[in-house]
Amino acid sequence: MVALPGENISAEPAGYHDDGKPKFFARWFYSTNHKDIGTLYLIFGIISGLIGGFLSFMMRMELADPGIQFFTNEHQYLVYVSMHGLIMIFFMVMPALIGGFGNWFVPIMVGAPDMAFPRMNNLSFWLLPTALICLLISFVVPGNANGNGFGGSWVMYPPLSTTGHPGPAFDFIIIGLLAAGFSSIFGAINFITTILNMRAPGMTMHKMPLFAWAVLVTAFLLLLALPVLAAALFMLFTDRIAGGTGFFDPARGGDPQMFQHLFWFFGHPEVYIMILPAFGIVSHIISTFSKKPIFGYLGMAYAMVAIGVVGFVVWAHHMYTVGMDVNLKAYFLAATLVIAVPTGVKIFSWLATMWGGSIRFTIPMQWALAFIFLFVVGGVTGVMLANAGVDAYLHDTYYVVAHFHYVLSMGAVFGIFAGFYYWFGKMFGVMYNKFLAAAHFWLFFIGVNVIFFPQHFLGLNGMPRRYVDYPEEFAIWNQVSSFGAYITLAGVVFFFLMLIEAFIVRRRVGDNYWGEGATTLEWTLSSPPPYHQFNVLPRIEDNAEH
Amino acid sequence: MKSPTNKTTIIAAIIAVAIGVGTFVALIVLGLGGERGMGQPVDGGYFLQDAATPVMEDLTTVHNMVFYWISGITAFVMALMVYIMIRFREKANPVPSKTSHNTAIEVVWTIAPVLILLFIAVPSMQLLYFQDKLPETDMTIKAVGNTWNWSYTYPDLENIEEIISNPLDEVQAKAQGKPYLLGTDAQLVVPVDTNVKVLVTSINNMHSWTVPSFGIKMDAVPGIINETWFRATREGVFYGQCSEICGIKHYYMPIEVNVVSKAEYARWVANDGAFTSSVAQNNTLMGSGQTAAQK
Ligand code: HEM
Ligand SMILES: [Cu+2]
Ligand SMILES: [Cu+2]
């Protein structure tokens, strides 16, 4: 259903396209409306975040002191580590950023009435709860002789994931991840089609808002990376069958390192899949609350394209210690450093956007500023880890855990919260309580720094990751780190208080409650937007701001 | 320009510079001035373990060099943010400018990082090749990862049998004065100032043979023999921990290397893998007792 410029979409014959909302069950379970699906994704992300957060909290409790406190079956600790990683990545960050905000705002920002394939959109969403259920089942079915669940880390390297976990637990994970992967691939096709074909008249690529650019690049990364993961998972699956294949089994001529190459060919683009949409969100927020157009718009858009392209040729920096040829390592070292350049362009362009601006420190702006700071900290330790020689010391230590939590648990998650507080009124028509939101922000900001900054020290001092117990020399910083988890937990409590309060008090907001500075199309619609927006497609004037 | 604006600019600049310089100095002083473990982590430590091989010395140098750069960049971005947040807050700057392009500055912030990265890349590459290219080695040891212990063999020495190195439990470790989760019941013994080639492999799951003070981390992959090397320049006991997830006892398969004088080593070999000197014996009391050679 591609609308011609100016065509009135409500002239569609099917009664479903009138403005009346379907009844509850039809609306939320058969949903084909991009905004409803976006909301479903956000709710799903919150639920997964609670599960993944619970797992991480248990791990931090365990690690608070040397010795084994709760995980008397150490296998269970590894199960928690693995499931925490998988759930946070596939079921929290990706659904919230791409499924949630992508669905909600990409069609609106490009001036389209909905996504290109609304039914496929529904399928994309409902594959995810199915996938999550598979992962949760995996907790309670046998993994290996040591107990239930899969304890081979989110990277799933064989032989630990083949002969090391003969039980059905890992099969459930494979099925779940395949389902999640297909969900993402369908979503990616949907976004690409929508953005390339359904932009409103006058909305050229070079006028498209940066969030739409971010999701477009992300969708291409998904489309190219996830099939490789699917293939690798499928190869694991057939390797696991008795008398099956031996792709990764050296005894049958296979090569376990090959899996790592396949995994990280997906895995590295995956980290950009998680961060690019956050880049897009932060750009809008910085611009809105500086009351200035984004600085160097084209540079910003093409920096993301560059990051996406280069992101595909750096994967083996995760594998410096597997015994690669030294020239190969040298190549991956150089290529990885190159990524720092477009990343720097993004950081400096945000700062330049604020320069000369008239800055308001609203709640979303606080999250966005924190995002920049935390992303810089996580980014510079990435430069350290890119050095293959130094990585021989730091690889698989807590330094790496600190690094990727600074960019993920803080970068991506702060991007999510920034977007959530930015668009909350737009999505739900009501405004939150500023005090509760500020408490959430400050507790979270302090909490995650207290958790993860000391982990650099642990890594430098030599503590390996995925350890349920550690020599007592590491005790102090682990204790501090766990204390940070309690602060963060308090922040989470305020998040839910904020939600409950906002929906009870229901402070109504206007169309453009941020005022001057908020220039993208969603601010021309009511809050919340009509069930079907743009019955008459908007025309983008030649001199409109991005 | 009116004077209130000038005043804000000055105040913002002073605070920003103070925060930037303060952060940089704090990072460098704390980051590079910490107490360093020798062969094992140090209590509450926040820096690399001390170097016992030339590779680790170089690794430390490159780490410190990169650390200067990234501390500087972090401090610089922080200072800029602070300046902007004070100088361009709504109250101080009610009317926003409309600039959204400046080609010169965009070129600068693309070229400057490139130059910094070149500064980093050159020594980093040197370290990489130094670490990776095996020099002429004088002896070879083979480390095999197993679930969940390490075994060591000396392929050039027929009289030394396989050493199976199991972790000590908490009681044993205390009894022998070794750190728990690092100490083992049978160490790898090597001579000082000798180029040692290490072959690393595994017979089941993957593991990773790691000795932080040597700057070594080499994955043990079934079906593949990886090669690395070290030249210990100090005598003493050096610990490491398995660094590739390998299953339930991943945290419980440490690595213990005893670097002894050349004479000591010669005697150890002559004795089929047992120490005679009382000093070394002290070091390795249980260790030598449990080598397969002695059984
Ligand atoms: C603030 C809350 C969080 C806490 C307290 C936390 C804590 C932890 C802990 C304790 C580990 C295990 C470290 C180990 O034993 O090796 C871990 C691993 C991990 N976390 Fe988090 N985490 C948090 C948020 C996140 C988020 C938001 C993400 C994702 C986007 C994430 C992704 C991961 C990944 C991928 C791993 C590695 C899992 C593996 O080794 O297989 N974490 N986290
Ligand atoms: Cu990567
Ligand atoms: Cu291990």
Side-chain angles (χ1 to χ4, degrees), chain A residues 326 329-330 333 384 386-394, chain B residues 48 53-66 120-134 214-216 229:
Chain A
V326 64
K329 285 200 259 187
L333 192 175
M384 179 71 89
N387 295 284
V390 181
D391 192 57
Y393 187 100
L394 296 173
Chain B
L48 297 170
T53 63
V55 165
M56 187 56 194
E57 277 163 28
D58 277 18
L59 192 154
T60 310
T61 315
V62 174
H63 167 275
N64 294 358
M65 182 268 300
V66 178
I120 291 177
V122 173
S124 176
M125 290 285 181
Q126 283 168 345
L127 166 67
L128 176 63
Y129 280 86
F130 178 47
Q131 190 178 45
D132 209 273
K133 286 272 185 236
L134 260 65
F214 291 1
I216 286 191
W229 71 284

Side-chain angles (χ1 to χ4, degrees), chain A residues 74 327 329 387 395-396 467, chain B residues 129 217 242-243 249 251:
Chain A
E74 306 101 312
N327 296 319
K329 285 200 259 187
N387 295 284
H395 178 69
D396 257 7
Y467 268 34
Chain B
Y129 280 86
K217 182 167 291 149
C242 177
S243 299
K249 295 289 180 192
Y251 73 102

Side-chain angles (χ1 to χ4, degrees), chain A residues 87-205:
Chain A
I87 289 178
M88 285 297 199
I89 291 174
F90 288 96
F91 299 96
M92 193 278 272
V93 173
M94 286 170 69
L97 278 176
I98 308 167
F101 297 128
N103 260 307
W104 249 103
F105 293 106
V106 166
I108 299 185
M109 281 182 166
V110 302
D114 204 314
M115 294 285 282
F117 307 115
R119 279 162 218 255
M120 190 162 80
N121 206 6
N122 174 290
L123 177 64
S124 293
F125 174 75
W126 284 105
L127 276 171
L128 271 188
T130 319
L132 183 62
I133 288 169
C134 288
L135 260 80
L136 295 179
I137 292 175
S138 132
F139 263 106
V140 292
V141 297
N144 59 23
N146 301 314
N148 289 342
F150 172 66
S153 156
W154 88 285
V155 299
M156 308 173 281
Y157 289 171
L160 190 53
S161 60
T162 52
T163 50
H165 281 83
F170 188 59
D171 297 306
F172 276 100
I173 291 193
I174 294 182
I175 296 166
L177 291 185
L178 285 175
F182 278 109
S183 155
S184 292
I185 292 172
F186 295 149
I189 295 171
N190 221 338
F191 280 119
I192 293 173
T193 316
T194 308
I195 294 174
L196 293 186
N197 297 310
M198 290 176 62
R199 277 170 285 123
M203 174 69 75
T204 61
M205 290 301 276

